[in-house]
Amino acid sequence: VRARVMEVTQSPEVEYEDIGGLEDQLQEVRETVEMPMKKPGMFDDVGIEPPSGVLLHGPPGTGKTMLAKAVANQTDATFIKMAGSELVHKFIGEGAKLVRDLFEVAREHEPAVIFIDEIDAIAAKRTESKTSGDAEVQRTMMQLLSEMDGFEERGEIRIIAATNRFDMLDRAILRPGRFDRLIEVPKPDEEGRELIFQIHTRGMNVADDVEFDSLAAEADEASGADVKAICTEAGMFAIRDDRTEIRMEDFQNAWEKVQASSDETEDVSK
Ligand code: ATP
């Protein structure tokens, strides 16, 4: 069970330069996660505790997982990821045990960054979720809180959680000593989108007529994940046309396609 729900990666291959925009968020993650791992003595000397847990919140596909992976890479830490939804929906009755395993694996692999995605699945307000009244979900959350209370903050294990549903969270997990540092990760602005286009086309054969600034302006509302999808789709349009060079029109067609498919998924989720 452990192997199927936990993704364990040694120094994941994401660099800070792979993240477009999010300068302030990156800075905060570095101060709150990287610094305590690299220079624990600094916090001692200053006489403050580093934050216990960091919570990244914002819409899907904006780079939350990337931020967590990049900081694990930068600190040569093992990256251990688990999704809240899997903890409670996939292995019913195993949630609390999986949380214990998660911290045990982290201790075996120090230094380690624990990343809990979709934390809302185990930490939703009672009133807002059908499942949160569930005793199993409550036990899973209590186990997480007690693991966090129980360990030495300045150790070699850092915890990052992420959610797209900040409004749904039980405030108990945001208390001091728990996820006491909140970092909002918004959708990129126009400048951010341009940077993300540049990042994802680094290895691509892009024609001279392609203007990332105007693509960034056109693709408003696109998340980082959408921009990545546009780049891949643009390449597909070129291939379909038997070309190896990707033109401006390919990117424009790709944006239309990505937009259409995200409208569809929104309709389905309604
Ligand atoms: P979710 O909430 O859906 O789990 P997330 O915020 O964790 O999403 P990521 O998994 O980090 O999003 O992003 C998905 C993919 O989108 C990344 O692998 C990356 O290719 C691309 N991406 C998203 N945001 C950015 C960004 N700011 N810069 C570069 N690429 C990005």
Side-chain angles (χ1 to χ4, degrees):
V1 173
R2 216 190 231 199
R4 274 183 293 156
V5 271
M6 265 183 236
E7 172 192 321
V8 181
T9 323
Q10 205 50 248
S11 302
E13 281 174 16
V14 177
E15 309 276 349
Y16 291 143
E17 300 82 58
D18 299 333
I19 303 174
L22 305 183
E23 286 85 9
D24 295 346
Q25 289 78 3
L26 187 58
Q27 164 96 11
E28 278 208 63
V29 169
R30 296 191 71 165
E31 282 171 12
T32 52
V33 185
E34 184 184 322
M35 273 292 272
M37 290 177 98
K38 283 197 167 165
K39 296 187 178 167
M42 280 281 275
F43 285 82
D44 283 342
D45 292 347
V46 173
I48 57 168
E49 296 278 346
S52 299
V54 172
L55 179 74
L56 306 176
H57 63 99
T62 47
K64 296 182 290 299
T65 308
M66 278 189 111
L67 281 167
K69 283 189 171 167
V71 77
N73 173 320
Q74 188 65 26
T75 52
D76 287 317
T78 309
F79 178 75
I80 308 170
K81 176 180 162 180
M82 200 179 247
S85 58
E86 303 221 314
L87 274 175
V88 291
H89 300 313
K90 215 163 167 185
F91 301 99
I92 298 168
E94 300 265 356
K97 180 175 178 304
L98 284 168
V99 169
R100 266 199 309 280
D101 287 352
L102 180 64
F103 282 79
E104 202 179 297
V105 170
R107 281 187 288 266
E108 285 164 10
H109 292 274
E110 279 181 64
V113 170
I114 294 179
F115 181 65
I116 306 175
D117 204 3
E118 304 169 51
I119 185 97
D120 45 279
I122 55 169
K125 276 182 257 186
R126 280 162 192 273
T127 48
E128 304 251 338
S129 156
K130 285 187 236 59
T131 52
S132 67
D134 189 322
E136 153 75 359
V137 176
Q138 287 296 317
R139 263 200 306 280
T140 306
M141 175 164 130
M142 294 314 291
Q143 186 64 37
L144 175 64
L145 296 181
S146 93
E147 292 285 349
M148 289 183 75
D149 290 343
F151 81 33
E152 175 62 61
E153 288 103 37
R154 275 156 299 183
E156 296 280 280
I157 301 175
R158 313 295 310 161
I159 310 177
I160 304 177
T163 183
N164 310 326
R165 305 297 316 272
F166 182 68
D167 54 309
M168 268 181 53
L169 289 185
D170 186 333
R171 298 293 157 208
I173 72 155
L174 307 179
R175 283 188 205 137
R178 295 171 173 176
F179 293 97
D180 51 11
R181 180 58 79 102
L182 307 181
I183 303 179
E184 187 182 356
V185 184
K187 276 193 178 180
D189 59 12
E190 197 171 316
E191 199 184 332
R193 291 193 297 273
E194 188 175 344
L195 288 168
I196 300 170
F197 268 114
Q198 282 159 354
I199 289 167
H200 286 289
T201 51
R202 270 183 204 148
M204 289 170 58
N205 189 6
V206 175
D208 289 339
D209 74 329
V210 174
E211 288 170 358
F212 291 125
D213 52 352
S214 61
L215 282 174
E218 273 173 54
D220 61 346
E221 295 300 303
S223 67
D226 293 333
V227 171
K228 184 191 180 183
I230 294 170
C231 295
T232 308
E233 272 307 326
M236 289 306 299
F237 275 106
I239 288 174
R240 252 173 244 141
D241 202 26
D242 207 23
R243 280 182 280 112
T244 53
E245 206 180 47
I246 309 155
R247 298 177 188 156
M248 188 66 173
E249 56 182 304
D250 297 322
F251 282 97
Q252 283 155 340
N253 291 335
W255 165 230
E256 276 175 28
K257 186 164 176 189
V258 168
Q259 229 175 343
S261 71
S262 71
D263 288 347
E264 264 170 42
T265 38
E266 263 164 40
D267 286 342
V268 169
S269 67
K270 266 176 204 160

